[in-house]
Amino acid sequence: MIVEAERRGAVGVARLNRPEARNALSSELMEMLCEVAEAWDRDPDVRAIVIAGSDEYFAAGADIKAMRDRTFQEALSNPFTSFWPRMAAIKTPLIAAVSGYALGGGCELALICDMIVASETAEFGQPEIMLGIIPGGGGTQRLARVVGKQRAMELVLTGRRIDAQDAFRLGFVNRVAKKREWLDEAIELAEVVARRPPLAVRLGKQAVLAADETTLAAGLDHERRLYELSMATEDRVEGMSAFIEKRKPDFRGR
Ligand code: HXC
């Protein structure tokens, strides 16, 4: 399977598996990844999703061999870009576990995730400019929001790569893990999220994402409404009662 889906308790782990093409994101691979993520998103038992590649490659970007012969008309009528809004619509927290190359669409796939755990071997970049195109999966927009305009400009206009430590310094990745520990660390982070009350987790994700999409005033307004929704859940009564009674909470997702 070009995407291997495995459940580890409340965490879904999707591994990209096209080693012969360095995990290049063919339409078939992206379709399967979207289907796996969407199915887990509908399953209340899945509380967090990890997207990973192999030790050597997260993903080398869109499939250049398939792209070369795509006509402009084909690109318009069957846009590869339609996979990105589907991934962005996933309400369950997404954690990218990146080891090796995350280039072009691979970097954009990591950026669409809510958190990134990188191996010390990870390399990120937007090399599209070298192919005569520009990023089309959110690479210019999400990157600029995460690392700032000047740095995004350098990455997009030179196509240069940055390593895991630089990515960490730029606030691009949440943590850098040792070579053999990157996947375990990502799953561990996902497990922490998975233990939290799931409705509040979804509301929290939605609220933070609004920071990128709205003005401060509109974002604060949105946050206030989502906060009020969280106050309507049974889990928040349980969470507060457990705190006061000095016991562990038993969250039910209600
Ligand atoms: C198709 C790819 C590929 C890709 C590698 N391969 N990347 N095939 N699409 N993106 C294939 C190679 O053609 C080769 O096939 C095999 O994988 C091994 O690749 P090598 O280059 O020999 O491997 P290596 O020396 O290990 O180098 C790895 C690499 C390099 C650094 C990742 O392959 C590379 O630079 N790839 C391209 C990265 C890139 O430009 N990404 C941006 C794509 S555009 P054969 O048949 O020779 O064995 C993009 C746009 C997104 O992502 C738009 C979103 C809407």
Side-chain angles (χ1 to χ4, degrees), residues 178-192:
K178 293 220 172 68
K179 215 165 38 187
R180 264 168 274 284
E181 294 168 12
W182 57 279
L183 186 56
D184 287 343
E185 274 206 34
I187 292 171
E188 202 181 291
L189 181 59
E191 283 168 345
V192 174

Side-chain angles (χ1 to χ4, degrees), residues 157-236:
L157 298 190
T158 67
R160 273 191 201 142
R161 301 177 199 153
I162 55 170
D163 65 19
Q165 284 303 342
D166 279 344
F168 181 73
R169 271 192 290 278
L170 293 175
F172 191 107
V173 308
N174 294 70
R175 60 190 67 174
V176 180
K178 293 220 172 68
K179 215 165 38 187
R180 264 168 274 284
E181 294 168 12
W182 57 279
L183 186 56
D184 287 343
E185 274 206 34
I187 292 171
E188 202 181 291
L189 181 59
E191 283 168 345
V192 174
V193 174
R195 285 197 292 276
R196 303 294 181 242
L199 295 179
V201 163
R202 286 185 168 217
L203 294 173
K205 167 167 173 166
Q206 214 184 314
V208 174
L209 286 177
D212 273 351
E213 282 161 17
T214 56
T215 60
L216 179 60
L220 289 171
D221 209 39
H222 190 56
E223 179 194 78
R224 178 70 187 263
R225 281 195 296 275
L226 295 172
Y227 159 76
E228 285 161 357
L229 279 181
S230 72
M231 284 297 285
T233 63
E234 289 176 23
D235 278 347
R236 75 92 186 171

Side-chain angles (χ1 to χ4, degrees), residues 77-98:
S77 63
N78 182 21
F80 180 71
T81 44
S82 67
F83 294 116
W84 306 99
R86 283 172 70 186
M87 290 306 294
I90 300 293
K91 297 189 183 73
T92 310
L94 299 173
I95 295 170
V98 177

Side-chain angles (χ1 to χ4, degrees), residues 10-42:
V11 176
V13 182
R15 295 197 70 167
L16 314 180
N17 183 36
R18 281 189 79 205
E20 72 288 354
R22 306 300 189 246
N23 287 345
L25 305 170
S26 60
S27 295
E28 295 74 20
L29 185 150
M30 284 304 289
E31 179 60 40
M32 189 175 277
L33 180 64
C34 287
E35 283 173 14
V36 165
E38 284 163 354
W40 279 336
D41 203 31
R42 288 190 297 269

